[in-house]
Amino acid sequence: MPKMKSHTGMGKRVKVTGKGKIVAQQAGLRHNLEKKPSTQTRRLTGTVELAKADVKRIKKLLGR
């Protein structure tokens, strides 16, 4: 049986913390920033822990 390869694209998008949580950048800060309120763009900065529904699928992609 061949080894499972981790999904390189997912590895670039998310980071696994020391405790095993998965954190990623929030969506919505790439373009059309002039029409978005400053409060919204400030709220979207930084990394957040991903939703529990996504964690199982992402861990599988990362080979964890």
Side-chain angles (χ1 to χ4, degrees), residues 15-46:
K15 176 179 176 271
V16 182
T17 63
K19 287 194 172 183
K21 295 176 185 174
I22 296 180
V23 293
Q25 197 75 28
Q26 283 183 294
L29 271 181
R30 291 294 181 200
H31 62 112
N32 295 346
L33 295 174
E34 285 184 338
K35 62 175 75 171
K36 290 173 189 166
S38 305
T39 51
Q40 183 181 359
T41 55
R42 280 198 303 273
R43 186 177 58 79
L44 291 173
T45 58

